[in-house]
Amino acid sequence: MTPPSPLPRHDGSALVVGGPTTVLDLGGLRIVSDPTFDDVGPHGYLTKTEGPALTEDRLDDVDLVLVSHDNHADNFDERGRSFALAAPLLLTTTGGADRLGAPAKGLAAWDTHTVTRPDGGELTVTAVPAVHGPEDGERDSYGAVNCQVVGFVLAGDGLPTVYISGDNASIRTVTDIARHTPRIDATVLHAGAARVPGKLRQRPVSLDSVRAAAAAAILGAPVNIPAHYSGWAHFTEGRDAIEQAFDDAGLTSVLRIADHGTWLPLKP
């Protein structure tokens, strides 16, 4: 059997694979966030309803994997785990790094890690806060709601600054990130208003569509790419709701949404 061809690189662009999984080609580096490549079907108490737009063997040239949290199958499934652990570097939460081992490195909120780019420059990855549920949710030993989660800000000379939200439902947290970050050029927003029976009174544990539009407005990014809004049964708002919310807010011009597997530029 002929092996699948590698996904051609598109520097300065992002591609949503499905669920939260996003490929970012930035500064000569290939970055994959929250890898999920399993087939459809039940995954514990969650059910996957759509497969990925491409398989992980087309991304063997990955340089860096980002995992907002390793606790839930919709963000880190079995094939995603194997893919991530075979990568040169995996950045995730401190608790996740303890569970996963090498090549995982744990970052607490506002910690940074620098990666050398092929052109000799640097990409700085900053872990930023995320709240995986309502602000008033019960906090665990990490001070986290639901579980420990981080988002990421990617920055470097000559590169667009990109914010990846991870599973964050908190507009207060987005505001805090905006205060700490001088400029955000592009976002990957985990939307979909994920709701899980029996958890947090079924209130959203990721951004709903209105809050995704609000996050885009607060951050002022000219490019906003939604992810994490289809492919799993507990995602309760899809593409139509996101488009409507951005239109209602007068922000259609900054929304970038397309069929999964489509490259989207990280600059206007």
Side-chain angles (χ1 to χ4, degrees):
M1 181 182 296
T2 303
S5 59
L7 181 70
R9 295 209 175 198
H10 284 69
D11 204 57
S13 300
L15 177 154
V16 179
V17 173
T21 309
T22 304
V23 180
L24 300 101
D25 285 354
L26 194 59
L29 298 170
R30 170 151 286 176
I31 303 157
V32 177
S33 64
D34 282 359
T36 54
F37 297 106
D38 283 0
D39 296 330
V40 300
H43 295 265
Y45 60 87
L46 302 176
T47 300
K48 190 170 189 176
T49 58
E50 297 174 12
L54 54 93
T55 52
E56 65 271 36
D57 48 7
R58 298 195 63 196
L59 301 170
D60 283 346
D61 58 349
V62 65
D63 299 294
L64 170 63
V65 174
L66 306 174
V67 176
S68 66
H69 62 300
D70 68 311
N71 312 73
H72 301 142
D74 60 316
N75 290 81
F76 197 55
D77 58 19
E78 290 303 317
R79 283 166 57 180
R81 178 185 299 265
S82 296
F83 172 80
L85 292 177
L89 177 63
L90 161 60
L91 299 179
T92 188
T93 62
T94 55
D98 289 343
R99 287 184 289 272
L100 294 169
K105 177 177 180 177
L107 300 177
W110 307 117
D111 285 349
T112 63
H113 182 84
T114 300
V115 180
T116 301
R117 292 155 40 184
D119 62 4
E122 294 181 337
L123 176 76
T124 299
V125 180
T126 303
V128 294
V131 180
H132 199 4
E135 290 280 353
D136 63 354
E138 183 179 354
R139 302 276 170 162
D140 63 15
S141 60
Y142 292 104
V145 176
N146 204 356
C147 68
Q148 188 186 24
V149 180
V150 292
F152 301 94
V153 172
L154 313 178
D157 289 343
L159 303 179
T161 298
V162 182
Y163 165 57
I164 304 170
S165 72
D167 280 11
N168 173 60
S170 168
I171 289 298
R172 179 185 296 176
T173 297
V174 172
T175 303
D176 191 30
I177 293 165
R179 279 197 298 263
H180 279 81
T181 310
R183 187 191 78 249
I184 299 288
D185 298 300
T187 73
V188 177
L189 299 174
H190 289 201
R195 303 173 192 266
V196 181
K199 283 195 172 185
L200 302 162
R201 304 204 314 272
Q202 289 185 239
R203 292 179 290 172
V205 298
S206 61
L207 295 170
D208 63 15
S209 300
V210 170
R211 288 181 179 86
I218 291 166
L219 294 164
V223 172
N224 297 273
I225 301 171
H228 191 272
Y229 60 84
S230 68
W232 292 82
H234 62 297
F235 297 170
T236 64
E237 295 182 9
R239 179 171 173 172
D240 289 348
I242 295 167
E243 291 176 334
Q244 184 66 60
F246 273 76
D247 186 49
D248 287 347
L251 293 170
T252 295
S253 64
V254 302
L255 176 65
R256 301 291 184 271
I257 193 166
D259 292 344
H260 291 163
T262 303
W263 285 108
L264 296 166
L266 292 168
K267 289 185 176 180

